[in-house]
């Protein structure tokens, strides 16, 4: 391994774009590196490895002191990994209450992707005018009719230019997913 941390950090970053199975062991070791930028790059890269060792390291990184590291590790666990283990769900539930909004959002999406219905009450409390794409993505993935009234109320409260753009498209997708018999033009 190169003695220059910047070189190693760049190589780790590259492994997130072009994973290599032989690098996994080194990435797991680097998950405990002192430099938060290195740990963040490791978290980004490990999301591409569908392996128990990668999941274990991501679980560790999802509790890191640095919020960027926790964010990327939580994204890796929640969105990029297909695994569904008790340890993985436990860290997602823990991060659902993180101080960082993005970490909380990634945890929410990860739990919804695993159809963890316990998240519905948490999600209902967040589906309002200030909600972000995280909440809408989670609602779409859960596709629960229990979410439809809150989503429809959100859509009904929008005016003019609020009814366009990416966020509104995500809202439309969530409404459609939660409504089994939705008329095509019900969102206007």
């Amino acid at each position: 391994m190169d003695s220059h941390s910047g070189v190693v950090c760049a190589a780790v970053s590259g492994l997130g774009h072009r994973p290599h199975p032989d690098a996994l062991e080194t990435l797991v070791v680097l998950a405990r590196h002192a430099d938060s930028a290195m740990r963040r790059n490791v978290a980004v890269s490990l999301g591409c490895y569908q392996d128990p060792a990668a999941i274990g390291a991501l679980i560790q990184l999802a509790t890191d002191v640095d919020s960027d590291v926790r964010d990327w590790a939580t994204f890796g666990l929640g969105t990029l990994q297909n695994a569904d283990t008790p340890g993985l769900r436990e860290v997602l539930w823990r991060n659902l209450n993180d101080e960082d909004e993005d970490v909380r959002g990634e945890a929410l999406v990860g739990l919804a992707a695993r159809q963890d219905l316990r998240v519905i009450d948490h999600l209902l409390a967040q589906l309002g005018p200030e909600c972000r794409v995280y909440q809408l993505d989670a609602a779409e993935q859960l596709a629960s009719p229990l979410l439809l009234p809150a989503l429809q109320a959100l859509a009904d409260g929008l005016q003019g230019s609020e009814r366009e753009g990416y966020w509104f498209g995500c809202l439309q997708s969530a409404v459609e997913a939660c409504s089994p018999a939705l008329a095509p033009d019900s969102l206007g």
Side-chain angles (χ1 to χ4, degrees):
M1 190 177 322
D2 197 292
S3 61
H4 292 85
S5 183
V7 172
V8 176
C9 200
V12 167
S13 178
L15 289 168
H17 300 284
R18 296 190 63 110
H20 195 282
D22 292 339
L24 180 57
E25 185 178 328
T26 301
L27 289 172
V28 169
V29 169
L30 289 172
R32 294 185 287 285
H33 197 276
D35 180 21
S36 63
M38 179 74 75
R39 294 192 312 275
R40 183 193 65 242
N41 283 350
V42 169
V44 171
S45 293
L46 284 174
C48 299
Y49 293 81
Q50 302 291 322
D51 185 277
I55 294 167
L58 283 169
I59 287 173
Q60 170 195 328
L61 291 167
T63 63
D64 197 89
V65 297
D66 186 272
S67 63
D68 284 339
V69 175
R70 288 194 314 276
D71 179 25
W72 279 101
T74 305
F75 170 71
L77 287 169
T79 300
L80 300 180
Q81 292 292 328
N82 298 321
D84 189 6
T85 67
L88 188 148
R89 281 198 193 209
E90 181 181 324
V91 79
L92 291 177
W93 271 102
R94 182 172 140 187
N95 285 3
L96 194 59
N97 297 303
D98 195 90
E99 64 190 36
D100 184 272
E101 182 177 22
D102 291 319
V103 175
R104 292 191 308 267
E106 295 296 354
L108 180 66
V109 170
L111 289 164
R114 287 159 181 79
Q115 296 298 300
D116 193 324
L117 300 180
R118 298 175 298 165
V119 81
I120 288 177
D121 287 336
H122 189 84
L123 185 55
L124 282 169
Q126 295 180 21
L127 287 174
E130 301 300 317
C131 79
R132 296 181 58 196
V133 170
Y134 294 123
Q135 289 79 17
L136 301 175
D137 284 349
E140 181 180 2
Q141 289 189 44
L142 284 171
S144 171
L146 297 172
L147 299 171
L148 186 58
L151 291 166
Q152 194 62 58
L154 186 56
D156 291 345
L158 298 176
Q159 304 291 321
S161 66
E162 294 175 320
R163 299 179 72 75
E164 55 191 48
Y166 182 74
W167 185 89
F168 183 66
C170 292
L171 175 58
Q172 286 179 304
S173 295
V175 168
E176 290 169 11
C178 293
S179 178
L182 181 65
D185 290 327
S186 68
L187 286 177

